[in-house]
Amino acid sequence: MLTGGPLDVLTGDYLAELTMLILARDRLKDPQLGYAKTFLRQLEESLGLVVERGVRVVVNAGGLNPERLATAIGELADKQGIAVAVGHVKGDDLLSRAEQLGFPGGLLAANAYLGAFGIAECLRGGADIVVTGRVTDAALVAGPAIAHFGWGAGDLDALAGAVVAGHVLECGAQATGGNYAFFGEHDVRRPGFPIAELHADGSSVITKHPGTGGAVTTETVTAQLLYETGPARYAGPDVTARLDTVRLAQEGPDRVRIDGVRGEAPPPTLKVGLNRLGGWRNELVFVLTGLDIEAKAELVQAQLTAALDPAPADVRWTLARTDHSDAPTEETASALLHLAVRDVDQQTVGRAVGAAAVELGLASYPGFHLAALPGPGAPYGVFEAAYVEAELVAHTAALPDGSTRLIPAPATTRVLAEAEQPPLPTPLEPGPTRRAPLGRVVGARSGDKGGDANLGVWARTEAGWRWLAHTLTVDLIRELLPEAAGLEISRQLLPGLRAVNFTLTGLLGRGVAAQERFDPQAKALGEWLRARHLDLPEALL
């Protein structure tokens, strides 16, 4: 990104929900840790380029210890003989006040999602590099925009536009053809990273450096806009962006304009990510080959269940029928039986489980073997979201000169409420249909928000939108995705994106760190949906 073309600010998002748990465990081992060490290694290679080209760097790699990372950057700069001004944003860490704020006990981390104004204050204070703890992902883009254009808390439309641009950038190549439903249409072997050209009114153009792979189209941008969002009101600490007002236009090759975004006052509360250890887990995978797959599975399940004493608190068996009839190789003749166990006691799910499996090695189904040697078990985490009044969080910018500035909570707020659904488009005219996979006519992208799954689906044409909006209902989602049949599911229409966005509440159990589901981040949920067969209009095919 530094050498491929002009750039004013380089941003980096290092803090997935799971990462916060990993950093919390690092901090337990060493109080000087708790930040993303990867960033420091990257900066070691590129700090000279950053200064030489006058690019400012804004990252949330500070994790649970932004102050220590800022110090480490200063030490690195001194070692390399480079003068660099470093600022950092703090105040998100609420762990020491967890009991006072009414959070549950046993937490490893409790971090509020801060907004963009602390970043802007650091940049105005002369920082070349700004590191933060837990801020919203989009704040990394909105902060530099606030500093450059001089926006205030009342410039809601401009702030909302920057938030939308930030959401497009936050997952890197996912906006330029990475993980894209129609990946075969572009060369995505090495997609470039996205760039946002931001304007004073909050509009932007998404592009990438010349000569890099992938593509920037209205559909690659749509896919990222749908990722891990949900309702039309996309709430943040500085502004609530109305996703139902977003307009996209292809301005040229690899150039997509985003405009029309409206903003509303933010809610009076901040989201807080709570991370704790949930217990211990272990997994085994039994390989079942050839005939009588289900009978073999029943046998080993019964044997192992009898051998586990005491039984783990949570035992889950899943049979993946990866086997093929009359298969030409042993691997394609085999199915996989997964066992996942969880308990608060490490010994109950540790070597006792592995030993019970190994001891069946000569006394179970024909062809008995495991996909890998049993392990000793590992801890698993649980992520939960809580909310606190914004005024209770001391959002603070630590400037390069050593001074600090407290960022006030927004003076004007608006309690978050569900937006009215827009009217449905005119239905597609009736006509002949053909049975085919849904993905032949729509794209999808999916992801996680704690224990909930987000599933966005978009149509490729206006005719496709007229069909999609009427056809892909909550009831049909339950039919096509039986795992979700008993869950609460919400649907949001986004006509400007020709898209419907679903939230499947509780599909992922207690979230990715708990690993309670195959594909625990719902990354491929959209591709599963696209592979399901429906009667599709031939006019669309």
Side-chain angles (χ1 to χ4, degrees):
M1 292 301 288
L2 288 167
T3 59
L7 204 63
D8 296 309
V9 181
L10 179 61
T11 67
D13 172 20
Y14 290 76
L15 300 183
E17 291 170 357
L18 180 60
T19 313
M20 297 297 281
L21 178 68
I22 295 168
L23 296 179
R25 293 179 62 193
D26 284 351
R27 186 171 63 175
L28 279 178
K29 299 172 189 172
D30 182 350
Q32 294 298 304
L33 296 179
Y35 58 84
K37 299 185 289 292
T38 306
F39 169 69
L40 203 56
R41 291 196 296 271
Q42 293 168 327
L43 195 63
E44 186 172 8
E45 299 173 357
S46 56
L47 182 58
L49 270 175
V50 167
V51 174
E52 175 189 324
R53 293 175 180 253
V55 175
R56 289 177 164 186
V57 177
V58 179
V59 297
N60 60 10
L64 303 179
N65 205 344
E67 191 166 6
R68 175 57 196 145
L69 177 57
T71 301
I73 293 169
E75 293 168 350
L76 172 64
D78 290 344
K79 182 180 175 183
Q80 295 188 359
I82 298 172
V84 64
V86 183
H88 67 276
V89 177
K90 58 185 179 178
D92 60 296
D93 191 344
L94 305 180
L95 187 59
S96 63
R97 298 164 56 201
E99 184 177 355
Q100 174 192 347
L101 294 170
F103 300 153
L107 296 176
L108 294 179
N111 295 81
Y113 287 71
L114 303 180
F117 281 90
I119 294 170
E121 201 65 40
C122 288
L123 292 170
R124 287 175 180 145
D128 302 308
I129 299 174
V130 180
V131 296
T132 77
R134 178 79 276 181
V135 296
T136 63
D137 301 341
L140 303 173
V141 171
I146 292 167
H148 183 80
F149 295 116
W151 297 336
D155 294 311
L156 295 175
D157 290 347
L159 289 169
V163 164
V164 168
H167 184 70
V168 173
L169 296 196
E170 71 182 53
C171 293
Q174 276 200 164
T176 58
N179 300 350
Y180 176 56
F182 306 105
F183 65 95
E185 298 177 0
H186 307 287
D187 181 359
V188 294
R189 288 172 294 180
R190 191 175 173 84
F193 278 73
I195 297 170
E197 298 172 355
L198 295 162
H199 298 277
D201 62 354
S203 64
S204 62
V205 173
I206 306 300
T207 184
K208 61 187 184 70
H209 281 323
T212 56
V216 180
T217 70
T218 54
E219 287 194 78
T220 66
V221 173
T222 292
Q224 178 55 26
L225 281 174
L226 295 175
Y227 180 65
E228 295 182 351
T229 51
R233 285 192 164 106
Y234 187 59
D238 304 315
V239 64
T240 294
R242 291 293 299 254
L243 298 182
D244 52 355
T245 63
V246 176
R247 295 195 304 255
L248 303 180
Q250 194 77 42
E251 196 177 68
D254 294 324
R255 293 182 63 81
V256 171
R257 175 169 291 279
I258 303 176
D259 62 14
V261 186
R262 302 302 301 272
E264 298 172 345
T269 57
L270 296 181
K271 179 180 175 181
V272 181
L274 307 179
N275 284 278
R276 59 181 173 84
L277 285 180
W280 295 82
R281 63 187 300 273
N282 208 341
E283 287 189 4
L284 296 171
V285 179
F286 299 86
V287 182
L288 315 175
T289 304
L291 306 177
D292 307 317
I293 295 293
E294 295 198 6
K296 290 172 179 173
E298 289 175 9
L299 172 60
V300 74
Q301 284 185 55
Q303 290 177 309
L304 201 68
T305 299
L308 294 177
D309 184 20
D314 184 22
V315 179
R316 302 186 186 199
W317 294 91
T318 307
L319 178 59
R321 294 301 301 264
T322 52
D323 54 304
H324 298 265
S325 177
D326 195 20
T329 66
E330 182 179 338
E331 185 174 5
T332 55
S334 299
L336 301 176
L337 178 63
H338 296 257
L339 168 64
V341 293
R342 291 176 182 79
D343 200 279
V344 294
D345 178 37
Q346 181 181 9
Q347 291 186 345
T348 301
V349 298
R351 298 197 181 279
V353 174
V358 170
E359 288 163 9
L360 292 174
L362 303 177
S364 190
Y365 60 86
F368 179 103
H369 67 285
L370 299 171
L373 291 174
Y380 71 86
V382 174
F383 173 88
E384 298 169 307
Y387 294 86
V388 298
E389 295 294 324
E391 60 192 23
L392 297 178
V393 177
H395 183 179
T396 304
L399 307 188
D401 64 6
S403 64
T404 60
R405 294 182 189 169
L406 187 65
I407 308 301
T412 303
T413 60
R414 175 175 177 166
V415 175
L416 196 63
E418 191 173 326
E420 288 186 17
Q421 289 283 357
L424 286 165
T426 304
L428 193 65
E429 294 80 6
T433 61
R434 189 184 340 145
R435 195 78 175 171
L438 176 61
R440 295 288 177 244
V441 296
V442 301
R445 179 161 291 168
S446 54
D448 66 315
K449 280 292 181 184
D452 301 338
N454 151 247
L455 173 58
V457 185
W458 77 90
R460 310 204 73 187
T461 64
E462 192 61 31
W465 164 240
R466 290 166 58 195
W467 175 81
L468 176 66
H470 287 271
T471 304
L472 197 58
T473 62
V474 167
D475 286 342
L476 185 56
I477 287 289
R478 289 196 171 103
E479 180 183 331
L480 295 175
L481 306 179
E483 282 185 54
L487 300 179
E488 177 188 336
I489 301 176
S490 63
R491 182 177 100 137
Q492 175 65 53
L493 293 173
L494 298 169
L497 302 177
R498 294 198 295 240
V500 287
N501 220 355
F502 296 91
T503 300
L504 287 67
T505 303
L507 181 71
L508 308 179
R510 290 177 290 175
V512 58
Q515 298 279 307
E516 292 183 352
R517 179 187 182 271
F518 175 76
D519 185 18
Q521 289 181 286
K523 296 291 189 183
L525 184 67
E527 287 302 291
W528 177 28
L529 177 69
R530 293 181 67 241
R532 298 309 307 269
H533 287 225
L534 278 178
D535 292 326
L536 304 179
E538 287 195 356
L540 300 182
L541 290 165

PDB file of all heavy atoms in Angstrom, residues 95 104-109 275-277:
ATOM      1  N   LEU A  95     -12.361  -3.012  32.409  1.00  0.00           N
ATOM      2  CA  LEU A  95     -12.280  -4.232  33.230  1.00  0.00           C
ATOM      3  C   LEU A  95     -12.219  -3.905  34.727  1.00  0.00           C
ATOM      4  O   LEU A  95     -12.857  -4.578  35.546  1.00  0.00           O
ATOM      5  CB  LEU A  95     -11.054  -5.054  32.812  1.00  0.00           C
ATOM      6  CG  LEU A  95     -10.931  -6.434  33.461  1.00  0.00           C
ATOM      7  CD1 LEU A  95     -12.142  -7.303  33.151  1.00  0.00           C
ATOM      8  CD2 LEU A  95      -9.653  -7.119  33.016  1.00  0.00           C
ATOM      9  N   PRO A 104     -20.960  -9.173  34.492  1.00  0.00           N
ATOM     10  CA  PRO A 104     -20.782 -10.434  35.218  1.00  0.00           C
ATOM     11  C   PRO A 104     -19.330 -10.621  35.660  1.00  0.00           C
ATOM     12  O   PRO A 104     -18.407  -9.991  35.114  1.00  0.00           O
ATOM     13  CB  PRO A 104     -21.194 -11.501  34.196  1.00  0.00           C
ATOM     14  CG  PRO A 104     -21.033 -10.847  32.874  1.00  0.00           C
ATOM     15  CD  PRO A 104     -21.349  -9.396  33.091  1.00  0.00           C
ATOM     16  N   GLY A 105     -19.106 -11.491  36.625  1.00  0.00           N
ATOM     17  CA  GLY A 105     -17.758 -11.748  37.120  1.00  0.00           C
ATOM     18  C   GLY A 105     -16.974 -12.661  36.193  1.00  0.00           C
ATOM     19  O   GLY A 105     -17.494 -13.197  35.212  1.00  0.00           O
ATOM     20  N   GLY A 106     -15.691 -12.834  36.510  1.00  0.00           N
ATOM     21  CA  GLY A 106     -14.850 -13.759  35.761  1.00  0.00           C
ATOM     22  C   GLY A 106     -14.417 -13.273  34.399  1.00  0.00           C
ATOM     23  O   GLY A 106     -14.007 -14.078  33.550  1.00  0.00           O
ATOM     24  N   LEU A 107     -14.457 -11.960  34.160  1.00  0.00           N
ATOM     25  CA  LEU A 107     -14.106 -11.440  32.834  1.00  0.00           C
ATOM     26  C   LEU A 107     -12.593 -11.351  32.657  1.00  0.00           C
ATOM     27  O   LEU A 107     -11.852 -11.037  33.592  1.00  0.00           O
ATOM     28  CB  LEU A 107     -14.717 -10.051  32.628  1.00  0.00           C
ATOM     29  CG  LEU A 107     -16.244  -9.968  32.611  1.00  0.00           C
ATOM     30  CD1 LEU A 107     -16.686  -8.513  32.507  1.00  0.00           C
ATOM     31  CD2 LEU A 107     -16.819 -10.773  31.451  1.00  0.00           C
ATOM     32  N   LEU A 108     -12.145 -11.604  31.429  1.00  0.00           N
ATOM     33  CA  LEU A 108     -10.754 -11.368  31.055  1.00  0.00           C
ATOM     34  C   LEU A 108     -10.573 -10.005  30.405  1.00  0.00           C
ATOM     35  O   LEU A 108      -9.489  -9.430  30.424  1.00  0.00           O
ATOM     36  CB  LEU A 108     -10.268 -12.450  30.089  1.00  0.00           C
ATOM     37  CG  LEU A 108     -10.170 -13.873  30.640  1.00  0.00           C
ATOM     38  CD1 LEU A 108      -9.692 -14.809  29.558  1.00  0.00           C
ATOM     39  CD2 LEU A 108      -9.240 -13.924  31.837  1.00  0.00           C
ATOM     40  N   ALA A 109     -11.634  -9.503  29.777  1.00  0.00           N
ATOM     41  CA  ALA A 109     -11.567  -8.205  29.111  1.00  0.00           C
ATOM     42  C   ALA A 109     -12.967  -7.616  29.034  1.00  0.00           C
ATOM     43  O   ALA A 109     -13.952  -8.346  28.868  1.00  0.00           O
ATOM     44  CB  ALA A 109     -10.966  -8.335  27.713  1.00  0.00           C
ATOM     45  N   ASN A 275     -15.301 -10.436  27.345  1.00  0.00           N
ATOM     46  CA  ASN A 275     -14.660 -11.720  27.042  1.00  0.00           C
ATOM     47  C   ASN A 275     -14.337 -12.443  28.343  1.00  0.00           C
ATOM     48  O   ASN A 275     -13.786 -11.849  29.276  1.00  0.00           O
ATOM     49  CB  ASN A 275     -13.366 -11.503  26.253  1.00  0.00           C
ATOM     50  CG  ASN A 275     -13.627 -11.167  24.805  1.00  0.00           C
ATOM     51  OD1 ASN A 275     -13.847 -12.040  23.983  1.00  0.00           O
ATOM     52  ND2 ASN A 275     -13.626  -9.874  24.491  1.00  0.00           N
ATOM     53  N   ARG A 276     -14.660 -13.725  28.385  1.00  0.00           N
ATOM     54  CA  ARG A 276     -14.336 -14.545  29.553  1.00  0.00           C
ATOM     55  C   ARG A 276     -14.052 -15.967  29.076  1.00  0.00           C
ATOM     56  O   ARG A 276     -14.412 -16.345  27.958  1.00  0.00           O
ATOM     57  CB  ARG A 276     -15.493 -14.565  30.558  1.00  0.00           C
ATOM     58  CG  ARG A 276     -16.793 -15.103  29.995  1.00  0.00           C
ATOM     59  CD  ARG A 276     -17.900 -15.074  31.032  1.00  0.00           C
ATOM     60  NE  ARG A 276     -19.183 -15.427  30.443  1.00  0.00           N
ATOM     61  CZ  ARG A 276     -19.623 -16.671  30.266  1.00  0.00           C
ATOM     62  NH1 ARG A 276     -18.850 -17.700  30.628  1.00  0.00           N
ATOM     63  NH2 ARG A 276     -20.804 -16.905  29.717  1.00  0.00           N
ATOM     64  N   LEU A 277     -13.395 -16.731  29.939  1.00  0.00           N
ATOM     65  CA  LEU A 277     -13.193 -18.143  29.658  1.00  0.00           C
ATOM     66  C   LEU A 277     -14.495 -18.886  29.958  1.00  0.00           C
ATOM     67  O   LEU A 277     -15.091 -18.714  31.020  1.00  0.00           O
ATOM     68  CB  LEU A 277     -12.054 -18.714  30.495  1.00  0.00           C
ATOM     69  CG  LEU A 277     -10.633 -18.341  30.048  1.00  0.00           C
ATOM     70  CD1 LEU A 277      -9.612 -18.970  30.979  1.00  0.00           C
ATOM     71  CD2 LEU A 277     -10.374 -18.798  28.613  1.00  0.00           C
TER      72      LEU A 277
END
